[in-house]
Amino acid sequence: MEAACSPTTAGKFVVVGGGIAGVTCAEQLAIHFPSEDILLITASPVIKAVTNFKQVSKVLEEFDVEEQPNTMLENRFPNIKVIESGVKQLNSKEHEFQKQLTKAKRIMIIGNGGIALELVYEIEGCEVIWAIKDKAIGNTFFDAGAAEFLTSKLIAEKPEAKIAQKRTRYTTEGRKKEAQTKANAGNTGSALGPDWHEGLDLKGTKEFSHKIHIETMCEVKKIYLQEEFRISKKKSLTFPRDHHNQLVIADKEIWPVYVELTNEKIYGCDFIVSATGVTPNTEPFLCGNNFDVGEDGGLKVDDHMHTSLPDIYAAGDICTASWQPSPVWQQMRLWTQARQMGWYAAKCMAAASVGESTDMDFSFELFAHVTKFFNYKVVLLGKYNAQGLGLDHELILRCTKGQEYIKAVLQNGRMMGAVLIGETDLEETFENLILNQMNLSAYGEDLLDPNIDIEDYFD
């Protein structure tokens, strides 16, 4: 493989990408083949490494993601050779998000995924207009009930103390460790992940905690710079003070940028944050290669993470899982799956190189993801939103406002998925019930009766 701006390099295994999938894959290959050079090509002088890994249950896992300089990876694994290639220019510190926010009175956030969810909760002292294309927040992860449970936390004051920063941040500027957090990014790179905001002081100019207005069922129609908007003669709206009051008031303040939404509303703001998801970065690989590409733009891989081309594997955000999945697993471009796919790809590559076969990893038997939204622990299991189950399913719910939200998805009396928000301590029990497909018809709604210790009963 030839890397841009560097001499031609070669190795038995070449891994492209310094995100979780690529680094995990390179680490595992280095362990399998200690006498071989493993080449890792990355577009940045920092890589993302898994730290504090904890196996919570058979499938659920928790870990931190730490940005580290490439040299730390090479020190841990002397047979990994990191080649930095692909970056032409990095954004300067003048465009850093945290610095811009300190001057902001109002921002607009576009998107309804994990990054948008955390951003609207973490930002303080700044008006936030949040535009989502769905009826409720967090549509990727939650149903309307869970969204309502979380919304009450979103609009309340935040009593919790800031969580201490769990990892050291490294900047790409000067390639040196710095005390302050940077948010520099090129055009390509790995996904931010669930704890990207930790250690950032996300405060605007005003002295209040939350001031959030949500515009649902809409997208961006047009963006105007200040002068363009003045010439257009259109009117923007003030920040809505009351969700129940539909009175429309024109905004007299002049803003650097204006956003016209598809619901015909226009808001001015200091800047816009686009948090609309992850796009597979396949472009560098498609030219001159006949890869099979999925509908979502990813490189199709089989059940051994092998693409349609010989000796080429893919894992993480760039790939599209094209095997027949387990009835309770689906692909989502999350850090947990990136780590699992990177680890499994290395295992498959190692086995194939010596002519051996390998069984599919157990982590693909059940979709399992643990994260944190609005300071609540959130566990998603299996078909947690009844994905692909049609109308042939039932939901059992238990909700204690401000404390927990529990949803079990059942089909033909068997649990197919679950959403657990809060400290429920039910994740391992529900994981077992989904995996063993025990018939729960006899229990009915008593399954979530708070007076029954279901954890002890089924364990």
Side-chain angles (χ1 to χ4, degrees), residues 30-179:
I31 293 170
H32 280 292
F33 300 95
S35 61
E36 293 280 354
D37 280 346
I38 312 299
L39 304 183
L40 177 65
I41 300 176
T42 174
S44 169
V46 295
I47 53 93
K48 286 186 165 66
V50 170
T51 60
N52 303 322
F53 180 84
K54 179 184 176 184
Q55 193 73 44
V56 179
S57 61
K58 290 178 184 175
V59 182
L60 269 175
E61 56 191 43
E62 289 182 336
F63 55 85
D64 297 330
V65 175
E66 190 172 293
E67 288 180 339
Q68 299 177 348
N70 297 340
T71 51
M72 286 186 68
L73 181 63
E74 292 176 322
N75 290 340
R76 286 200 308 273
F77 298 92
N79 58 327
I80 292 182
K81 309 301 179 187
V82 180
I83 301 170
E84 186 187 336
S85 175
V87 175
K88 294 181 179 178
Q89 186 176 4
L90 294 171
N91 291 338
S92 67
K93 60 184 178 183
E94 280 73 27
H95 298 286
E96 187 217 341
F97 174 62
Q98 182 177 336
K99 185 175 180 180
Q100 290 289 340
L101 189 57
T102 61
K103 305 174 185 176
K105 292 182 289 184
R106 183 192 298 168
I107 70 169
M108 175 167 278
I109 297 174
I110 312 296
N112 200 17
I115 298 299
L117 281 167
E118 280 304 324
L119 191 57
V120 295
Y121 181 71
E122 292 296 329
I123 287 178
E124 299 177 352
C126 177
E127 294 175 347
V128 176
I129 307 287
W130 186 13
I132 62 175
K133 64 181 180 180
D134 310 297
K135 291 182 180 179
I137 67 170
N139 189 64
T140 303
F141 303 100
F142 307 118
D143 59 15
E148 185 177 345
F149 174 84
L150 289 170
T151 300
S152 63
K153 183 70 171 283
L154 180 63
I155 61 178
E157 292 292 311
K158 292 199 302 183
E160 301 89 351
K162 284 282 187 179
I163 299 172
Q165 183 178 339
K166 292 189 292 185
R167 65 177 188 248
T168 305
R169 304 293 177 106
Y170 290 87
T171 74
T172 55
E173 183 183 353
R175 307 205 187 179
K176 62 183 179 181
K177 179 179 172 182
E178 294 187 3

Side-chain angles (χ1 to χ4, degrees), residues 12-15 22-39 77 79-80 342-343 345-351 353:
K12 183 171 184 177
F13 296 105
V14 179
V15 180
V23 173
T24 302
C25 183
E27 289 176 340
Q28 293 303 311
L29 288 170
I31 293 170
H32 280 292
F33 300 95
S35 61
E36 293 280 354
D37 280 346
I38 312 299
L39 304 183
F77 298 92
N79 58 327
I80 292 182
W343 185 92
K347 182 180 176 182
C348 294
M349 293 163 71
S353 70

Side-chain angles (χ1 to χ4, degrees), residues 329-345:
W329 185 88
Q330 62 273 339
Q331 182 182 10
M332 290 185 72
R333 288 180 168 90
L334 303 166
W335 270 359
T336 44
Q337 285 196 357
R339 194 208 70 81
Q340 291 163 353
M341 286 182 169
W343 185 92
Y344 180 55

Side-chain angles (χ1 to χ4, degrees), residues 118-418:
E118 280 304 324
L119 191 57
V120 295
Y121 181 71
E122 292 296 329
I123 287 178
E124 299 177 352
C126 177
E127 294 175 347
V128 176
I129 307 287
W130 186 13
I132 62 175
K133 64 181 180 180
D134 310 297
K135 291 182 180 179
I137 67 170
N139 189 64
T140 303
F141 303 100
F142 307 118
D143 59 15
E148 185 177 345
F149 174 84
L150 289 170
T151 300
S152 63
K153 183 70 171 283
L154 180 63
I155 61 178
E157 292 292 311
K158 292 199 302 183
E160 301 89 351
K162 284 282 187 179
I163 299 172
Q165 183 178 339
K166 292 189 292 185
R167 65 177 188 248
T168 305
R169 304 293 177 106
Y170 290 87
T171 74
T172 55
E173 183 183 353
R175 307 205 187 179
K176 62 183 179 181
K177 179 179 172 182
E178 294 187 3
Q180 71 182 66
T181 302
K182 300 287 186 180
N184 295 338
N187 292 327
T188 62
S190 48
L192 289 174
D195 59 347
W196 65 274
H197 55 79
E198 290 184 11
L200 290 176
D201 184 19
L202 300 182
K203 289 188 177 181
T205 61
K206 298 186 178 180
E207 293 299 322
F208 52 76
S209 178
H210 278 130
K211 192 163 283 189
I212 299 163
H213 174 71
I214 305 173
E215 290 286 350
T216 62
M217 302 290 290
C218 65
E219 297 181 65
V220 174
K221 181 179 180 180
K222 190 171 183 180
I223 296 173
Y224 301 86
L225 295 178
Q226 190 180 97
E227 182 62 16
E228 291 175 323
F229 187 73
R230 186 188 66 80
I231 294 172
S232 74
K233 303 294 186 182
K234 294 188 176 184
K235 302 293 183 183
S236 64
L237 303 178
T238 59
F239 188 89
R241 304 298 170 188
D242 185 350
H243 291 282
H244 304 289
N245 189 347
Q246 299 301 314
L247 183 64
V248 176
I249 303 175
D251 193 354
K252 295 180 181 179
E253 187 155 355
I254 297 174
W255 298 94
V257 65
Y258 293 82
V259 181
E260 183 176 2
L261 301 173
T262 51
N263 61 9
E264 306 306 323
K265 294 181 181 180
I266 301 176
Y267 292 100
C269 57
D270 288 295
F271 63 89
I272 305 164
V273 179
S274 176
T276 52
V278 177
T279 302
N281 184 29
T282 58
E283 186 178 351
F285 307 98
L286 296 180
C287 183
N289 296 304
N290 191 27
F291 283 105
D292 288 344
V293 178
E295 292 182 3
D296 60 1
L299 303 180
K300 284 187 175 183
V301 293
D302 61 18
D303 57 0
H304 285 74
M305 309 308 295
H306 200 277
T307 69
S308 56
L309 299 186
D311 301 324
I312 307 295
Y313 296 75
D317 294 344
I318 197 172
C319 78
T320 299
S322 299
W323 63 84
Q324 184 62 41
S326 154
V328 288
W329 185 88
Q330 62 273 339
Q331 182 182 10
M332 290 185 72
R333 288 180 168 90
L334 303 166
W335 270 359
T336 44
Q337 285 196 357
R339 194 208 70 81
Q340 291 163 353
M341 286 182 169
W343 185 92
Y344 180 55
K347 182 180 176 182
C348 294
M349 293 163 71
S353 70
V354 294
E356 296 178 356
S357 61
T358 184
D359 294 329
M360 191 159 204
D361 190 74
F362 188 75
S363 62
F364 298 103
E365 285 296 309
L366 170 66
F367 174 85
H369 183 61
V370 59
T371 187
K372 190 168 274 192
F373 288 130
F374 302 176
N375 220 28
Y376 285 111
K377 180 181 180 180
V378 176
V379 177
L380 307 174
L381 296 171
K383 300 296 183 178
Y384 60 89
N385 262 348
Q387 299 97 317
L389 300 184
L391 300 177
D392 184 23
H393 69 274
E394 61 176 319
L395 306 178
I396 302 178
L397 302 173
R398 184 174 99 200
C399 180
T400 307
K401 188 174 181 179
Q403 183 178 337
E404 65 177 13
Y405 179 91
I406 302 170
K407 178 180 77 173
V409 181
L410 281 78
Q411 186 177 56
N412 299 323
R414 290 166 171 80
M415 191 177 293
M416 299 296 290

